[in-house]
């Protein structure tokens, strides 16, 4: 074997080795790019612990961790009708590792606020509508009304004597009450709190008269006899409170308000990651044990496609703009 042939063979071996190493690195990189998630996911909650978003998020996050084999960390960013947490999501890296649970207030805020630090539709990538939930008109034990008609009669006879709590300015609990006032020609004073949890505590203590609350947070207190269940705001009675009538059947025909809960990611998040998130959240919510637990609180599990959630947001923005305009409510 000549020296020239030996050098040629050594060169070929080095080239083959380099090519093999390059292929290995390329395959590893490709594998890493597909391995979502490979670190914890942060789920932003726009209201304090104890509210309806928290009650929904906790069991879903706990179940989701089991399937994706990564922690799902709940991070609470309450305040300003959910806009603080939403603005944080808009600034987040679009990699799927920071997502947000939004409520119907997300579609109300563009009409309620003079300006927002984000574009409600363009700055986010919808993942899924997880659940819907009717609202409950609940009252403190001291409040001198027991039915919708009694509430209307008392509020008309005593303008601004009754106070109603909300989970924040522009929240669904705020606008539902404003719609009720408009529909019934009544006057009540709005007292905003930073979430359903604190608002319900205020109602329990008699600090406020009543609240149009997500049924999940007031339900245990109504069942325990600590709050009065006046009416539900959906189109039909709730299975968890079958003896409580709807507002519509109690003298305010056509009145209907339902809350919804969904997951958003930052705009620019890859479609493949959105699909993975959609499957992970929907599968967790539909797990029999989780679904049973949430149904007991009045939630109705949805689990939509990203496209269906996008359409819902667009429809809700238009609907709530009409409601806000009718109520005259605004936040500067």
């Amino acid at each position: 074997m000549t020296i020239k042939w030996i050098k040629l063979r050594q060169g070929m071996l080095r080239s083959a080795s380099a090519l093999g190493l390059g292929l290995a690195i390329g395959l590893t990189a490709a594998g890493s790019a597909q391995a979502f998630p490979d670190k914890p996911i942060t789920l932003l909650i726009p209201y304090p612990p104890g509210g309806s978003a928290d009650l929904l998020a906790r069991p879903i996050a706990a179940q989701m961790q089991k399937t994706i084999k990564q922690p799902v960390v709940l991070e609470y960013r309450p305040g300003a009708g959910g806009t603080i947490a939403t603005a944080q999501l808009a600034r987040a890296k679009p990699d799927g590792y920071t997502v947000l649970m939004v409520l119907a207030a997300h579609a109300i805020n563009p009409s309620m606020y003079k300006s927002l630090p984000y574009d409600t539709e363009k700055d986010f990538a919808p993942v899924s509508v997880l659940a819907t939930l009717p609202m409950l008109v609940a009252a403190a034990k001291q409040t001198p009304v027991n039915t919708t008609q009694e509430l209307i009669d008392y509020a008309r006879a005593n303008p601004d004597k009754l106070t109603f709590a909300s989970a924040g300015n522009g929240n669904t609990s705020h606008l539902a009450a404003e719609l009720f006032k408009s529909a019934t020609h009544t006057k009540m004073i709005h007292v905003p709190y930073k979430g359903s949890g604190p608002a319900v505590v205020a109602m329990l203590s008699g600090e406020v008269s009543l609240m149009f609350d997500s049924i999940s947070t007031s339900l245990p207190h109504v069942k325990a006899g600590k709050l009065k269940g006046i009416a539900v705001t959906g189109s039909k009675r709730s299975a968890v409170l079958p003896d409580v009538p709807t507002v519509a059947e109690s003298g305010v025909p056509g009145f209907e308000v339902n809350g919804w809960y969904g997951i958003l990611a930052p705009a620019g998040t890859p479609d493949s990651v959105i699909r993975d998130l959609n499957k992970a959240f929907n599968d967790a919510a539909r797990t029999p044990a989780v679904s049973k637990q949430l149904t007991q609180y009045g939630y109705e599990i949805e689990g939509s496609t990203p496209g269906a959630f996008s359409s819902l947001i667009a429809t809700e923005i238009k609907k709530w703009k009409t409601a806000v305009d009718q109520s005259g409510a605004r936040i500067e």
Side-chain angles (χ1 to χ4, degrees):
M1 185 178 294
T2 66
I3 293 176
K4 184 176 180 180
W5 169 248
I6 292 173
K7 288 182 177 181
L8 178 61
R9 188 165 181 268
Q10 288 174 340
M12 291 172 64
L13 288 172
R14 283 195 297 268
S15 297
S17 177
L19 178 61
L21 178 60
L23 286 171
I25 292 173
L27 289 171
T28 301
S32 298
Q34 296 171 357
F36 176 86
D38 61 3
K39 62 181 181 180
I41 291 175
T42 297
L43 174 56
L44 299 173
I45 307 295
Y47 297 97
S52 61
D54 185 42
L55 289 174
L56 178 67
R58 284 181 180 274
I60 290 176
Q63 177 61 36
M64 189 171 157
Q65 290 181 154
K66 298 176 183 178
T67 55
I68 67 173
K69 308 301 182 185
Q70 293 292 340
V72 178
V73 181
L74 303 188
E75 184 176 316
Y76 300 90
R77 286 289 181 266
T83 61
I84 292 175
T86 309
Q88 182 174 335
L89 182 72
R91 298 189 300 267
K93 187 177 180 180
D95 56 7
Y97 289 101
T98 302
V99 294
L100 168 72
M101 175 173 284
V102 288
L103 287 66
H106 180 69
I108 297 173
N109 288 335
S111 300
M112 280 294 296
Y113 286 84
K114 187 175 181 180
S115 63
L116 291 171
Y118 53 80
D119 186 300
T120 303
E121 294 184 90
K122 294 180 180 178
D123 288 343
F124 308 102
V127 175
S128 174
V129 181
L130 290 180
T132 57
L133 186 70
M135 304 188 79
L136 171 68
V137 185
K141 294 289 288 183
Q142 302 94 319
T143 304
V145 301
N146 295 292
T147 67
T148 299
Q149 193 58 55
E150 287 180 6
L151 171 58
I152 295 169
D153 293 342
Y154 186 88
R156 286 176 178 170
N158 302 274
D160 290 336
K161 187 171 183 179
L162 293 175
T163 54
F164 69 94
S166 80
N169 282 314
N171 184 269
T172 318
S173 54
H174 174 200
L175 264 293
E178 294 289 353
L179 284 176
F180 180 82
K181 286 167 55 182
S182 178
T184 57
H185 308 289
T186 53
K187 292 184 178 181
M188 298 183 288
I189 296 175
H190 177 216
V191 183
Y193 292 84
K194 290 186 176 181
S196 278
V200 170
V201 170
M203 190 163 44
L204 287 166
S205 69
E207 185 177 315
V208 291
S209 308
L210 56 98
M211 181 179 179
F212 281 64
D213 186 31
S214 297
I215 197 169
S216 57
T217 44
S218 287
L219 177 64
H221 306 295
V222 171
K223 286 191 170 182
K226 296 178 180 179
L227 292 175
K228 301 176 185 179
I230 305 296
V232 292
T233 65
S235 60
K236 60 183 180 181
R237 296 192 182 198
S238 171
V240 294
L241 286 174
D243 295 331
V244 176
T246 66
V247 174
E249 71 178 288
S250 302
V252 193
F255 188 92
E256 181 181 346
V257 177
N258 283 305
W260 49 261
Y261 303 75
I263 300 296
L264 294 179
T269 302
D271 289 344
S272 60
V273 173
I274 294 295
R275 287 194 296 271
D276 289 343
L277 287 169
N278 178 275
K279 186 177 189 314
F281 274 103
N282 288 347
D283 285 354
R286 290 168 177 157
T287 301
V290 174
S291 180
K292 180 180 178 181
Q293 179 182 346
L294 293 173
T295 300
Q296 290 174 344
Y297 281 106
Y299 296 95
E300 294 184 10
I301 304 303
E302 296 289 332
S304 76
T305 64
F309 189 18
S310 180
S311 297
L312 173 66
I313 292 172
T315 300
E316 287 279 288
I317 287 174
K318 293 178 182 177
K319 181 187 85 172
W320 284 111
K321 184 181 186 309
T322 301
V324 170
D325 290 344
Q326 288 178 347
S327 71
R330 285 289 189 282
I331 300 172
E332 294 297 326

